[in-house]
Amino acid sequence: DYATEVFGGLERWEEAEALARKMGKEILGVRKSTVNEVVMGKLGWWRMKGRRDFLRLLYWRGIVMSKKGLRWEVYQEGRRRIGRDKGTWCDYTKKMMKEVGLEEYWEEQDVMVVHKKTWRVIVWKKIQDKEQEEWRKRMDSKRKVRTYRVIKSELETEKCLEEGTAQKRRVMAMVRGGTNDLRIETGRYEKLEEKERICIFCESGE
């Protein structure tokens, strides 16, 4: 995350996103085939883009509140160039603040007075709402997480990660995440319809 408040728009961050997802699966002890949204949901993680946007807005407040120094002068020049230079720091920041519902602060920045801790709470809530909404949309498009969607709707760390042994937590994650050895899951590899994925052990027809 080093200096992401300044260099948050680099395309190379996709590599960091992939690394974060990989480490999430290592932490949970689940299979590589586990859907990324399950990993993010169990750990309560934002995408790294969300983290970058959060840090960017904390940094933005520092610039606006200081109203002096070299970075303030550079920032003012950046504001004047919005609309002329696409993809600049100020251009992205303005658009992002509008996306998360903080446009009023951008418009009132010349007279804005917000305490550092208060601003942090405001920004965290806005980014959390945005990340959670997009996380839900991504899950809605994936059939494999049909069970997980029923039991998990909030993007927050699950309490079960603090209970039991590592093996118990791993099995729970696999059962919820659709990467277990139950026939309802393994039947997809045989290209069976869901109603045909009957348990071959208990003879219950379930």
Side-chain angles (χ1 to χ4, degrees), residues 82-189:
I82 290 178
R84 287 186 290 160
D85 299 339
K86 300 294 183 180
T88 62
W89 195 92
C90 285
D91 185 62
Y92 177 90
T93 302
K94 180 181 179 180
K95 290 179 180 177
M96 189 260 289
M97 290 181 73
K98 183 177 181 179
E99 287 177 4
V100 300
L102 293 173
E103 188 176 17
E104 62 181 291
Y105 291 97
W106 176 271
E107 299 298 336
E108 300 173 1
Q109 58 188 288
D110 291 331
V111 294
M112 187 181 81
V113 179
V114 182
H115 190 275
K116 186 176 182 179
K117 290 184 179 180
T118 302
W119 180 245
R120 187 181 185 92
V121 171
I122 292 172
V123 173
W124 187 92
K125 181 65 168 60
K126 292 294 186 179
I127 299 295
Q128 170 69 11
D129 289 346
K130 185 172 186 291
E131 286 293 307
Q132 184 167 270
E133 180 183 0
E134 295 186 358
W135 168 73
R136 287 173 178 169
K137 288 180 180 178
R138 294 195 302 272
M139 284 208 298
D140 287 341
S141 66
K142 298 180 180 180
R143 185 61 181 162
K144 194 174 182 179
V145 294
R146 60 191 178 284
T147 301
Y148 196 62
R149 286 199 299 267
V150 174
I151 59 179
K152 186 68 182 285
S153 60
E154 304 295 323
L155 184 58
E156 58 185 16
T157 307
E158 295 182 14
K159 294 182 179 180
C160 65
L161 295 179
E162 303 173 0
E163 303 169 355
T165 64
Q167 177 63 10
K168 287 181 179 179
R169 293 193 294 270
R170 175 177 177 273
V171 170
M172 181 64 73
M174 291 174 64
V175 169
R176 289 185 166 190
T179 53
N180 53 73
D181 294 325
L182 297 176
R183 194 92 188 286
I184 187 65
E185 306 299 347
T186 60
R188 77 163 56 88
Y189 307 130

Side-chain angles (χ1 to χ4, degrees), residues 1-8 13 16-21 23-24 27 40 43-59 92 96 120 123-124 126-128 130-131 134 155:
D1 282 345
Y2 181 73
T4 56
E5 62 269 35
V6 179
F7 300 109
W13 279 101
E17 294 276 11
L19 178 60
R21 293 191 292 265
M23 289 311 301
I27 291 169
M40 306 296 275
L43 295 171
W45 281 2
W46 295 347
R47 295 166 302 161
M48 294 195 77
K49 179 184 181 302
R51 291 162 59 181
R52 296 198 303 275
D53 289 346
F54 176 71
L55 292 172
R56 176 186 288 255
L57 292 185
L58 297 186
Y59 186 70
Y92 177 90
M96 189 260 289
R120 187 181 185 92
V123 173
W124 187 92
K126 292 294 186 179
I127 299 295
Q128 170 69 11
K130 185 172 186 291
E131 286 293 307
E134 295 186 358
L155 184 58

